[in-house]
Amino acid sequence: MATKPTLTELGDFLDPVLQVPYRGKKYQIQPVSALTGLRFQKLLAVGVKAAQDGNLDPASIELVSDAEERDFYADALGDTYQELLDDGATATALKMIGSAAFLWATQGFDTAKVFWDAGGKSPAPNREQRRTATRTRTAAVATTKPQASASGTTTPKAKPRAKATNGQTSSSTGTASKRTSKTKE
């Protein structure tokens, strides 16, 4: 009889708790529920769409209303939300910790850590990333060929002009007040 493949216990490799240091204390943030996690994923998708093209439908706008924002931090932080309020956390700290918890829930610990280490700001790309981006753009410009004609027609090539011979005049009537070439007299 064949053995059935078994996966490792889920809790064995997931970070079960996010520890956030603030004012000398380490706050323990528990993972969000499945429904909250799904709502956060939708919220993240709306944020990405807004950043890319700025067009949001009314239902998407409601996802990020003021009332939703208050619930957002409470949902992201769980019991830690009330603990932070009881400890007198500032609004800025609550938003920073809540945003880190949101990133942890939607994109994982590494993304949350980058956000936290950057002080809540989007980190600037490192030198290698900037250089790669420049080379990619430069190479694309250098190798791009002009688009072919969409109408299927071609432009006829210009015929080379014949050189003038000695003694010809430069006017259309064939006469000139002055000769255009030197002749022996």
Side-chain angles (χ1 to χ4, degrees), residues 118-162:
K121 296 183 175 125
S122 186
N126 66 28
R127 183 178 180 195
E128 184 58 31
Q129 289 171 325
R130 289 191 309 269
R131 293 173 80 199
T132 299
T134 302
R135 280 186 295 225
T136 303
R137 282 194 306 267
T138 304
V141 170
T143 60
T144 302
K145 294 182 180 179
Q147 185 176 355
S149 171
S151 65
T153 61
T154 59
T155 305
K157 293 184 179 181
K159 293 179 184 177
R161 293 184 181 189

Side-chain angles (χ1 to χ4, degrees), residues 20-22 93 96-98 100 103 111-120:
V20 179
Y22 176 60
M96 174 81 173
I97 296 168
L103 290 170
T111 302
K113 183 170 179 8
V114 168
F115 170 81
W116 187 265
D117 291 346

Side-chain angles (χ1 to χ4, degrees), residues 84-108:
L84 283 162
L85 292 177
D86 292 345
D87 289 347
T90 65
T92 303
L94 189 70
K95 286 184 174 188
M96 174 81 173
I97 296 168
S99 296
F102 169 77
L103 290 170
W104 175 57
T106 57
Q107 298 180 24

Side-chain angles (χ1 to χ4, degrees), residues 36-98:
T36 299
L38 292 172
R39 185 169 60 92
F40 282 179
Q41 288 293 336
K42 186 173 182 179
L43 187 61
L44 180 65
V46 167
V48 169
K49 183 177 181 349
Q52 289 175 343
D53 62 19
N55 295 327
L56 293 178
D57 57 82
S60 296
I61 292 170
E62 184 56 34
L63 269 176
V64 292
S65 69
D66 290 340
E68 283 291 323
E69 184 180 10
R70 283 189 297 276
D71 291 342
F72 168 82
Y73 294 114
D75 289 346
L77 296 168
D79 295 338
T80 307
Y81 178 80
Q82 190 59 50
E83 185 180 357
L84 283 162
L85 292 177
D86 292 345
D87 289 347
T90 65
T92 303
L94 189 70
K95 286 184 174 188
M96 174 81 173
I97 296 168

